[in-house]
Amino acid sequence: MDFTKELSAYFKENCLLDEPMSRHTTYRTGGPAQAYVYPQTAQDWSFVLKLARTENIPLRVIGFGSNILVGGKGVSGIICSTKHMDQTAVKGCRVTAQAGAALDKVCEISTRAGLAGMEKLSGIPGSVGGAVYMNAGAFGQETFDCLEYVEAIDFKGRPAVLLKKDLPHGYRHVEGIENYIVLGAGFLLAQKDFTSLTETRHSVQHKRIEKQPLEFPSAGSVFKRPAGDFASRLIDEAGLRGLSIGGAKVSEKHAGFIVNFNHATPEDIKNLMDEVRRQVKQKSGIELDLEQILWGEFAK
């Protein structure tokens, strides 16, 4: 059975076949997705999950693609984008957001409402779903700090509300979340002076512009922070700032970033990741762990 015909018939214009992933990741590179769809309703999710399960089709979920590198040979199966699920709401000290809402937009809404707890996450270029999935954070603040619950669905299509206390979490890790698709989240924030929150948000945004290579496509920090150290310091110490392979380069502005500075292929970026890890291990004895997620097949 050609599952793409069923997807096209159901999702119509919200189904894209052989879709270049360079259009959907912040690295701006990546091979084609066999099928790329935009579920929005419970019925949509039920349909696509049942199809994937009964036909044994690989299924992945993407938000803004700000932490993903897709191989040049592309990705088989179905990729579900949450981008058309982007509603947010504020009620008292609570903020709710669907998975496809921009995290930075939620930070802006919270700040304007005089609600504290997410202002330092400003400028993170991902979706709420992605931020919850990996407990994204910056400047000493994490997504889970103010998280109250997660609205989710499991891969059999069963809805679930996951409370923060039932999700063991830590630095860039949430235990058990991989068994679910994040559909939305609720945050409990604290009332605070609007002016001071706005100042913090603007300060964080300015630091990002000042310290991060936002002028080139990238996917943020490539490696997790090693215990008691920083990946960028170890990369710097190994003399790798500015190292390039093809169109990919270790940023001169922030050594923790790899940038697509000249039409990099996914393989350029992957090979540079591997080379950085190899040299850092050789020079410091520390094994850097990838923070970013690799999808699909990479050319040799």
Side-chain angles (χ1 to χ4, degrees):
M1 187 203 81
D2 183 1
F3 71 89
T4 61
K5 287 181 180 175
E6 282 201 51
L7 284 176
S8 294
Y10 181 91
F11 283 101
K12 299 182 172 62
E13 69 275 8
N14 283 323
C15 175
L16 307 171
L17 303 180
D18 293 321
E19 176 68 4
M21 288 303 291
S22 57
R23 297 175 182 170
H24 303 283
T25 62
T26 57
Y27 265 131
R28 296 289 175 258
T29 190
Q34 189 175 2
Y36 193 95
V37 297
Y38 292 93
Q40 295 177 64
T41 65
Q43 184 181 342
D44 292 347
W45 283 103
S46 179
F47 172 84
V48 73
L49 288 167
K50 185 178 180 182
L51 180 65
R53 189 169 66 252
T54 56
E55 299 299 328
N56 200 26
I57 304 161
L59 182 142
R60 296 174 171 87
V61 180
I62 193 170
F64 287 11
S66 58
N67 200 47
I68 294 168
L69 177 64
V70 177
K73 291 188 174 182
V75 187
S76 60
I78 306 167
I79 294 180
C80 296
S81 170
T82 61
K83 262 202 170 178
H84 291 180
M85 301 170 59
D86 61 356
Q87 298 301 301
T88 61
V90 179
K91 189 174 182 179
C93 290
R94 285 182 165 87
V95 175
T96 56
Q98 288 185 301
L103 181 64
D104 183 61
K105 187 69 178 174
V106 177
C107 297
E108 180 188 14
I109 289 166
S110 303
T111 300
R112 284 184 176 174
L115 298 174
M118 300 184 76
E119 61 282 352
K120 291 182 182 177
L121 305 179
S122 295
I124 290 178
S127 65
V128 167
V132 168
Y133 193 87
M134 65 175 288
N135 191 20
F139 301 102
Q141 204 168 70
E142 292 182 332
T143 303
F144 264 67
D145 289 351
C146 293
L147 183 80
E148 195 171 22
Y149 64 87
V150 177
E151 288 185 5
I153 190 170
D154 70 13
F155 286 87
K156 290 185 177 177
R158 297 173 297 197
V161 175
L162 311 171
L163 301 179
K164 175 180 173 177
K165 67 181 179 64
D166 297 327
L167 290 168
H169 56 276
Y171 173 70
R172 305 298 176 269
H173 176 72
V174 181
E175 198 174 309
I177 199 78
E178 68 278 2
N179 299 320
Y180 296 91
I181 295 166
V182 177
L183 300 182
F187 301 91
L188 178 59
L189 307 179
Q191 287 189 319
K192 195 174 177 181
D193 175 56
F194 162 81
T195 306
S196 66
L197 289 174
T198 303
E199 285 173 359
T200 301
R201 175 169 159 80
H202 288 166
S203 171
V204 164
Q205 289 172 320
H206 180 72
K207 284 175 184 174
R208 284 186 174 278
I209 293 167
E210 194 178 63
K211 296 182 178 180
Q212 296 181 3
L214 304 181
E215 64 274 23
F216 293 111
S218 80
S221 297
V222 177
F223 304 103
K224 292 181 181 179
R225 189 176 64 225
D229 212 330
F230 293 94
S232 56
R233 191 197 72 78
L234 292 166
I235 294 164
D236 249 341
E237 197 175 66
L240 303 178
R241 189 181 287 251
L243 177 70
S244 65
I245 292 178
K249 179 166 62 175
V250 176
S251 169
E252 287 113 340
K253 198 171 183 181
H254 190 309
F257 284 58
I258 287 176
V259 297
N260 177 355
F261 79 101
N262 188 21
H263 308 291
T265 66
E267 288 69 27
D268 291 340
I269 296 170
K270 170 70 164 54
N271 291 339
L272 187 54
M273 288 174 173
D274 293 342
E275 183 60 18
V276 167
R277 292 183 77 194
R278 188 188 70 78
Q279 289 204 40
V280 167
K281 171 76 172 176
Q282 184 184 57
K283 292 175 183 178
S284 70
I286 294 173
E287 188 93 51
L288 291 177
D289 292 326
L290 269 184
E291 181 170 310
Q292 295 175 356
I293 298 164
L294 306 180
W295 276 6
E297 198 178 339
F298 290 79
K300 296 296 181 189

